[in-house]
């Protein structure tokens, strides 16, 4: 996946760079003062042994489908949270307990592409409850519980092609927003691609998100068939609105590189979700048939379940006047970011030579005065000069995304000229610029999307690393870079490698999360259908071709550790419960020749199931995979497999007579 | 006949003894590098618990490596007797204060001292038993000559753990109760030496 895309970037990047050399003679300053060496960088990023980082940074794993958790300022990787991809390391997405989280209307999907982590908010501030992230390829949202750093809910989004402009949260986590990157026939049907203008539509989705386990597509607004790229909800005065960039207003369906880059202006869609709520309440939405999965994880059952939803509320702009306006914005805008005050709506045109800044208060006045230049499919387009607060001149080529500090300034990533530029709302003038290595996409300031950013660091997420790290063949590491922004000049402090593409990231004060961590699951509360809460509850039972083994793990043995009575043709289900009730004592479980599942990694008090289908008669070992104790190597057992049809009495080392499992799975 | 001050000391002694019902008496804590959050158990009048919710189970789980018996509070008969024994002591102190009977007060103190000594001996005996009578057949870690008796009071290294055994709040209250009992017997008879005044006078002024 990565190499064609990357080489395209490189080709486009180098081609344009040659051009940029002429256009920007005074281009980015690559002075040594902005780099490590002459600075106190080592002491700024050094987190001494035994001490901890100040911020958690949640970085999307891009095409790994996961989320990487890093400490800042050290840049150390703390955890990979599996979300939309199977993770053999802990069995996520392989075992019966977690597989339903990957369920979709297309069946189980073992991979996706995560882009934009978004921390839950209360009153416009990060509250440390949840992290949301999108799946771009097969459109989905996920909720991650920040007391466990585990995915607890996923929701497929219907009527969407590429869930890219998501899942940014409204200021009290009322909704996470989504928008279709690719317009598609809605509802899906078999039509000629050349009928794009006639048959293709976009949707903007509002997903109810304020309660764990209850994500739901509240309503979708059907919009013209453009590409919708990124979005951000308003805050403060603009709370109740959400803003989405669109490109390909040309409605090209082939060779978009050229055909979608013709218009001087595309649009930022300003969507009033409070008006949409009112329209839905007034019965102006339509219930469209749909088919999409909602998957939730139950902490006590230690198991996920999946349900299919069959209908979704769709609102047509014509049925809900005042719900959407278009703001003209130069050249295929990517980012649309709302400053901490909620007044400024900052665009970022991938091919633009200015950063357009719209004013929310001007927009409201223009709507009142009906200062529209035209309508597009019934949606009013506000006159550019009536919403414009200012244009930042000479920001470099290809401004993409903006985050903000606590002093009224913005930091804009600039892809083509590979730099971060700093400018301030007081005069819309660039005050500083610093190179990135190389080709920055998104950037992050801790708390940078809240009402009160911390304004200490900016982190660049780069698309290309080239010579920044030791080479590792053609597939190089991905990387991020940490800059100090406390002074007048940005200073590069640290390069650090990341998993997947660190597409976007958010960072939160560690104090809001670290003391709320679950240390283990309470065995007494474990209601898994095959739990064994003590060794006396273990056992074995046959149900047709399925052999269920309720097993326990505790330092340093399994119970039972001898199993007989299995035949070739049986499916063995090892239901293993970790009996430990102590912090940081996981056990693992793997059986030889396990060809369909990965290992189990069992947190204390947790139950997981390994499906094991023996192919040949014999005696096969199983063992603990997570080094748990001094006698970890002794933590092992055997399962005997008889030839098909040769009945050997079911027996285990712990039970002469079989225990009846709680139910069929 | 007991003076008012002596009777008040006995009432205070009884009240402090009563604290043993609601506070842990003794604490054994275990320190090792891989337990930065600590690990330990508390002995109460009628039970033994972990300092943190699962500490006792975790200690038992660790102890299986050296073949030590599981510590099961329900199987320790002393824990069933102790609430009654302390109840009798409280009743003695209260009765002595009510009846002003010096002999009853003396009986209270003597019984208290005897029971406290018996309690410590019994505690030592249990510690000895747990530390020495190991299931060597099933022990995983066997070090010749090594026993795992925790200290009666103080600290001791046991393999990778430093075991520390100290009275907890209820134990300190009991010790103070005993001192007050002795004080009650001596408070009126004591020769007026200045050092004694220093103890008796503040008590007198505070209560009279
Ligand atoms: Cu193990």
């Amino acid at each position: 996946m990565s190499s064609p895309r990357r080489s395209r970037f490189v080709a486009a990047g180098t081609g344009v760079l040659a051009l940029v050399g002429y256009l920007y003679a005074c281009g980015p300053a690559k002075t040594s003062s902005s780099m490590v060496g002459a600075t106190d960088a080592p002491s700024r990023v050094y987190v001494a042994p035994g001490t901890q980082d100040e911020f958690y940074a949640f970085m999307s794993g891009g095409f790994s489908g996961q989320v990487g958790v890093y400490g800042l300022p050290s840049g150390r990787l703390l955890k990979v949270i599996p979300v939309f991809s199977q993770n053999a390391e802990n069995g996520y997405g392989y075992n019966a307990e977690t597989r339903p989280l990957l369920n979709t209307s297309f069946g189980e999907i073992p991979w996706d592409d995560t882009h934009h982590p978004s921390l839950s908010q209360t009153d416009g501030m990060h509250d440390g409850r949840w992290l949301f992230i999108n799946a771009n390829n097969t459109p989905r949202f996920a909720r991650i519980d920040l007391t466990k750093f585990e995915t607890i809910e996923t929701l497929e989004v219907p009527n969407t092609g590429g869930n890219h402009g998501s899942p940014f949260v409204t200021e009290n986590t009322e909704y996470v927003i989504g928008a279709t990157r690719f317009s598609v026939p809605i509802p899906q049907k078999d039509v000629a691609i050349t009928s794009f203008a006639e048959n293709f539509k976009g949707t903007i989705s509002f997903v109810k998100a304020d309660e764990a386990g209850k994500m739901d597509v509240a309503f979708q607004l059907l919009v013209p068939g453009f590409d919708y790229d990124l979005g951000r909800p308003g805050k403060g005065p603009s709370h109740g609105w959400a803003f989405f960039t669109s490109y390909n207003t040309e409605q090209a369906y082939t060779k978009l590189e050229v055909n979608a880059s013709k218009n001087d202006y595309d649009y930022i869609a300003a969507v009033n979700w409070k008006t949409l709520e009112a329209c839905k309440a007034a019965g102006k939405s339509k219930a469209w048939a749909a088919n999409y999965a909602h998957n939730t994880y139950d902490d006590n059952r230690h198991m996920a379940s999946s349900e299919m939803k069959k209908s979704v509320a769709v609102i047509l702009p014509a049925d809900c006047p005042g719900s959407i306006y278009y703001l003209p914005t130069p050249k295929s805008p990517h980012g649309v970011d709302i400053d901490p005050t909620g007044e400024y709506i900052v665009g970022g045109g991938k091919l633009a030579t200015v950063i357009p800044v719209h004013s929310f208060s001007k927009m409201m006045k223009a709507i009142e005065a009906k200062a529209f230049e035209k309508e597009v499919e019934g949606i009013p387009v506000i006159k550019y000069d009536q919403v414009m607060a200012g244009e930042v001149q000479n920001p470099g080529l290809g401004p993409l995304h903006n985050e903000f500090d606590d002093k009224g300034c913005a930091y804009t990533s600039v892809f083509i000229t590979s730099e971060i530029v700093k400018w301030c709302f007081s005069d819309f003038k660039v005050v500083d610029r610093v190179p990135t290595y190389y080709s920055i996409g998104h950037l992050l300031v801790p708390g940078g999307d809240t009402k009160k950013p911390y304004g200490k660091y900016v982190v660049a997420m780069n698309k290309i690393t080239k010579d920044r790290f030791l080479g590792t063949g053609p597939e190089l590491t991905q990387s991020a870079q940490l800059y100090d922004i406390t002074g007048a000049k940005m200073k590069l402090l640290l390069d650090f490698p990341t998993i997947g593409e660190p597409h976007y990231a958010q960072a939160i004060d560690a104090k809001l999360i670290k003391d709320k961590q679950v240390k283990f699951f309470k065995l007494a509360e474990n209601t898994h259908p095959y739990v064994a809460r003590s060794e006396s509850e273990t056992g074995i039972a046959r149900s047709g071709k399925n052999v269920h083994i309720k097993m326990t793990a505790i330092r340093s043995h399994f119970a039972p550790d001898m199993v007989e009575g299995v035949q070739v043709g049986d499916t063995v289900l090892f239901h293993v419960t970790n009996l430990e009730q102590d912090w940081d004592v996981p056990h693992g479980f793997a059986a030889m020749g396990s060809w369909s599942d990965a290992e189990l990694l069992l947190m204390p008090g947790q139950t997981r199931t390994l499906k094991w289908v023996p192919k040949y008669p014999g005696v096969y070992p199983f063992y603990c995979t997570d080094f748990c104790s001094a006698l970890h190597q002794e933590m092992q057992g055997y399962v005997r497999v008889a030839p098909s049809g040769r009945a050997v009495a079911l027996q285990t080392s712990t039970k002469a007579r079989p225990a009846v499992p709680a139910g069929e799975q | 006949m007991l003076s008012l001050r002596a009777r008040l000391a006995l009432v205070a002694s009884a009240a402090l003894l009563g604290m043993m019902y609601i506070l842990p008496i003794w604490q054994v804590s275990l320190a090792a590098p891989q337990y930065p959050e600590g690990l330990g158990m508390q002995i109460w009048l009628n039970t033994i618990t972990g300092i943190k919710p699962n500490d006792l189970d975790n200690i038992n789980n660790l102890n299986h490596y050296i073949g030590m018996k599981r510590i099961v509070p329900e199987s320790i008969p002393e824990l069933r007797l102790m609430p009654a024994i302390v109840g009798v002591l409280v009743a003695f102190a209260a009765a002595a204060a009510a009846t002003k009977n010096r002999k009853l007060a003396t009986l209270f103190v003597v019984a208290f001292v005897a029971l406290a000594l018996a309690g410590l001996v019994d505690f030592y005996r249990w510690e000895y038993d747990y530390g020495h009578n190991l299931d060597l057949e099933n022990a995983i870690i066997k070090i010749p000559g090594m026993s795992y008796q925790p200290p009666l009071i103080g600290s001791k290294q046991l393999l990778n753990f430093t075991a520390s055994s100290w009275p907890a709040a209820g134990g300190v209250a009991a010790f103070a109760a005993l001192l007050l009992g002795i004080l009650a017997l001596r408070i009126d008879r004591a020769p007026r030496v200045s050092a004694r005044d220093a103890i008796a006078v503040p008590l007198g002024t505070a209560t009279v």
Side-chain angles (χ1 to χ4, degrees):
Chain A
M1 285 308 291
S2 72
S3 58
R5 182 158 71 183
R6 193 181 292 168
S7 56
R8 202 180 65 224
F9 278 145
V10 176
T14 45
V16 179
L17 267 174
L19 176 71
V20 169
Y22 296 103
L23 285 175
Y24 291 83
C26 61
K30 300 209 175 190
T31 58
S32 62
S33 68
S34 63
M35 296 160 73
V36 182
T39 71
D40 58 350
S43 68
R44 293 294 312 282
V45 301
Y46 182 65
V47 175
T51 62
Q52 296 176 340
D53 279 294
E54 186 183 355
F55 295 99
Y56 285 99
F58 296 94
M59 310 185 90
S60 82
F63 38 77
S64 80
Q66 318 293 41
V67 168
V69 186
Y70 301 81
L72 293 182
S74 72
R76 296 182 294 194
L77 175 64
L78 305 176
K79 178 168 184 178
V80 175
I81 306 171
V83 188
F84 291 115
S85 296
Q86 287 178 314
N87 190 40
E89 184 180 358
N90 64 4
Y92 178 90
Y94 287 92
N95 51 52
E97 286 79 5
T98 54
R99 277 170 54 183
L101 288 167
L102 300 180
N103 196 37
T104 73
S105 58
F106 301 90
E108 267 179 42
I109 295 189
W111 169 88
D112 216 299
D113 184 16
T114 56
H115 277 200
H116 308 115
S118 184
L119 288 155
S120 60
Q121 295 190 7
T122 300
D123 194 24
M125 299 297 294
H126 292 159
D127 57 25
R129 287 183 292 166
W130 306 303
L131 180 79
F132 299 93
I133 193 152
N134 62 324
N136 194 44
N137 185 48
T138 303
R140 283 172 282 173
F141 290 106
R143 184 199 304 267
I144 293 160
D145 179 344
L146 293 182
T147 66
K148 300 185 301 164
F149 283 57
E150 281 178 8
T151 304
I152 58 165
E153 186 174 11
T154 54
L155 175 72
E156 192 178 359
V157 202
N159 299 333
T160 299
N163 178 33
H164 189 263
S166 66
F168 305 100
V169 302
T170 54
E171 80 176 24
N172 293 301
T173 319
E174 294 97 337
Y175 297 102
V176 293
I177 63 171
T180 186
R181 175 175 156 200
F182 313 107
S183 280
V184 287
I186 295 175
Q188 272 291 4
K189 58 184 168 188
D190 167 32
V191 295
I193 296 168
T194 50
S195 71
F196 190 104
E198 180 194 341
N199 282 321
F200 287 45
K201 289 284 178 196
T203 52
I204 281 167
S205 302
F206 290 84
V207 170
K208 201 176 159 297
D210 54 349
E211 254 184 288
K214 299 200 173 158
M215 272 207 276
D216 190 22
V217 183
F219 39 83
Q220 294 188 305
L221 183 64
L222 197 70
V223 289
F226 307 150
D227 287 37
Y228 293 84
D229 201 358
L230 274 168
R232 288 282 181 172
K235 54 171 85 82
S238 50
H239 179 57
W241 290 79
F243 304 90
F244 300 84
T245 46
S246 70
Y247 62 100
N248 192 21
T249 52
E250 298 87 348
Q251 299 198 301
Y253 46 83
T254 182
K255 298 196 183 79
L256 263 67
E257 186 182 12
V258 172
N259 292 335
S261 305
K262 292 191 189 303
N263 292 348
D264 286 339
Y265 291 89
D266 296 282
Y267 303 120
I268 285 174
V271 177
N272 188 324
W273 55 260
K274 292 210 165 156
T275 301
L276 290 171
E277 276 180 344
C279 286
K280 189 188 174 194
K284 291 176 181 166
S285 65
K286 299 181 192 330
W288 281 16
N291 188 31
Y292 56 107
H294 179 223
N295 312 316
T296 53
Y297 185 85
D298 183 318
D299 254 353
N300 292 332
R301 298 184 76 235
H302 294 278
M303 194 174 281
S305 56
S306 177
E307 61 160 333
M308 299 306 295
K309 298 200 171 196
K310 298 293 180 189
S311 167
V312 66
V314 175
I315 301 175
L316 309 181
D319 295 339
C320 190
S323 61
I324 178 168
Y325 299 91
Y326 279 142
L327 320 181
T329 304
K331 287 288 183 198
S332 302
H334 183 64
V336 52
D337 300 294
I338 314 303
D339 85 308
T341 70
E343 161 63 8
Y344 295 111
I345 305 150
V346 187
K350 291 189 285 281
L351 305 173
T353 53
V354 297
I355 300 170
V357 183
H358 298 297
S359 153
F360 177 74
S361 52
K362 284 182 82 172
M363 181 188 94
M364 294 306 284
K365 283 196 197 108
I367 290 171
E368 191 143 331
K370 295 196 165 24
F372 307 136
E373 60 177 53
K374 60 175 176 179
E375 286 192 353
V376 173
E377 298 188 25
I379 296 168
V381 179
I382 301 173
K383 288 181 179 153
Y384 183 63
D385 62 357
Q386 297 296 303
V387 286
M388 181 52 48
E391 287 180 339
V392 181
Q393 300 296 326
N394 195 21
L397 189 61
L400 284 188
H401 171 229
N402 315 278
E403 293 239 329
F404 308 96
D405 68 11
D406 50 339
K407 300 182 189 72
C409 298
Y411 300 80
T412 304
S413 57
V414 188
F415 181 82
I416 297 170
T417 45
S418 206
E419 59 185 325
I420 299 171
V421 298
K422 175 184 177 182
W423 52 274
C424 301
F425 288 100
S426 53
D427 56 4
F428 301 109
K429 289 214 165 70
V430 171
V431 294
D432 190 25
R433 60 205 318 150
V434 66
T436 63
Y437 305 92
Y438 306 92
S439 298
I440 180 175
H442 281 278
L443 43 64
L444 107 90
V445 172
D449 71 329
T450 69
K451 287 179 174 172
K452 281 187 201 139
Y454 292 96
K456 229 172 159 172
Y457 305 107
V458 63
V459 177
M461 281 151 271
N462 301 311
K463 307 297 183 197
I464 292 172
T465 56
K466 295 268 165 113
D467 57 351
R468 298 301 287 184
F469 298 94
L470 289 174
T472 52
E475 186 181 351
L476 298 168
T477 185
Q478 303 278 329
S479 95
Q481 293 182 292
L482 180 79
Y483 296 81
D484 170 42
I485 56 168
T486 54
K489 291 271 167 201
M490 292 178 273
K491 278 184 193 159
L492 175 57
L493 299 175
L494 181 72
D495 280 23
F496 60 99
T498 66
I499 59 145
E501 179 210 355
H503 186 90
Y504 176 53
Q506 291 198 336
I508 184 171
D509 189 340
K511 287 199 285 289
L512 290 170
I513 295 183
K514 65 175 182 168
D515 296 329
K516 297 193 291 195
Q517 293 308 299
V518 169
K519 291 185 169 171
F520 55 84
F521 300 106
K522 290 186 182 132
L523 204 50
E525 293 171 5
N526 183 327
T527 56
H528 190 288
Y530 291 93
V531 63
R533 288 184 208 85
S534 69
E535 291 186 8
S536 63
E537 293 180 14
T538 61
I540 184 169
R542 174 179 288 282
S543 162
K545 289 276 181 195
N546 289 341
V547 176
H548 292 273
I549 301 165
K550 292 207 285 184
M551 185 180 272
T552 59
I554 194 163
R555 280 162 292 176
S556 310
H557 62 275
F558 293 107
D561 63 357
M562 287 197 296
V563 174
E564 301 200 354
V566 174
Q567 300 173 18
V568 172
D570 286 342
T571 293
V572 182
L573 296 148
F574 291 98
H575 309 286
V576 191
T577 302
N578 181 348
L579 293 182
E580 307 280 357
Q581 292 288 273
D582 200 356
W583 188 22
D584 200 13
V585 193
H587 291 289
F589 182 86
M592 182 178 165
S594 175
W595 50 267
S596 68
D597 283 14
E599 70 156 346
L600 303 177
L601 191 63
L602 306 149
M603 294 306 116
Q606 190 174 57
T607 305
R608 288 274 183 264
T609 300
L610 183 88
K611 186 177 88 181
W612 189 72
V613 186
K615 287 195 166 170
Y616 315 109
V619 177
Y620 299 94
F622 55 81
Y623 72 103
C624 174
T625 51
D626 188 343
F627 206 111
C628 57
S629 62
L631 285 306
H632 165 73
Q633 287 299 84
E634 282 71 9
M635 194 159 172
Q636 63 171 55
Y638 290 105
V639 52
R640 175 182 165 190
V641 179
S644 181
R646 200 180 120 202
V648 173
L650 279 184
Q651 59 177 348
T652 68
S653 51
T654 43
K655 268 242 162 40
R657 272 182 301 158
V660 180
E664 186 57 76
Q665 208 166 18
Chain B
M1 292 290 276
L2 293 165
S3 70
L4 179 62
R5 289 190 298 179
R7 292 166 65 204
L8 285 168
L10 283 169
V11 170
S13 177
L16 282 169
L17 266 175
M19 302 301 279
M20 293 181 78
Y21 288 94
I22 54 171
L23 294 171
I25 303 164
W26 213 270
Q27 177 160 314
V28 179
S29 48
L30 298 168
Q34 61 269 58
Y35 286 87
E37 74 278 21
L39 184 66
M41 58 187 186
Q42 289 175 325
I43 301 165
W44 302 68
L45 207 51
N46 63 345
T47 190
I48 298 172
T49 63
I51 293 176
K52 295 193 282 19
N54 298 297
D55 277 9
L56 188 61
D57 280 341
N58 290 330
I59 289 167
N60 278 331
N61 192 26
L62 290 169
N63 285 347
H64 96 281
Y65 283 109
I66 50 172
M68 190 183 279
K69 283 191 285 247
R70 288 186 76 82
I71 300 165
V72 182
E74 296 75 34
S75 70
I76 299 174
E78 285 87 332
L79 294 174
R80 270 174 280 150
L81 292 175
M82 285 215 297
I85 293 170
V86 171
V88 168
L89 284 178
V90 171
F92 266 127
T99 60
K100 308 178 193 177
N101 187 325
R102 174 170 292 278
K103 275 190 184 144
L104 214 47
T106 308
L107 193 59
F108 162 63
V109 170
V110 170
F112 197 160
V113 169
L115 286 167
L117 286 174
L120 286 172
V121 168
D122 189 51
F123 182 38
Y124 181 88
R125 201 177 57 80
W126 275 97
E127 286 189 327
Y128 184 92
D129 181 48
Y130 274 101
H132 288 82
N133 291 332
L134 306 171
D135 177 6
L136 291 178
E137 186 80 7
N138 289 306
I140 295 159
I141 301 172
K142 276 177 272 198
I143 296 173
M146 182 80 187
S147 65
Y148 303 96
Q149 181 177 356
L152 187 64
I153 188 160
S155 286
K156 187 177 171 188
Q157 191 72 27
L158 299 171
L159 297 185
N160 56 327
F161 282 99
T162 305
S164 302
S165 173
W166 296 101
V172 172
F175 186 66
L178 181 56
L179 288 183
L180 280 173
I182 294 168
L183 184 68
L185 294 181
R186 307 213 25 127
I187 202 163
D188 298 320
R189 282 208 247 173
R192 294 264 164 196
V193 182
S194 57
R196 296 261 162 77
D197 286 352
I199 303 167
V201 170
L203 186 72
T205 50
T207 52
V208 175

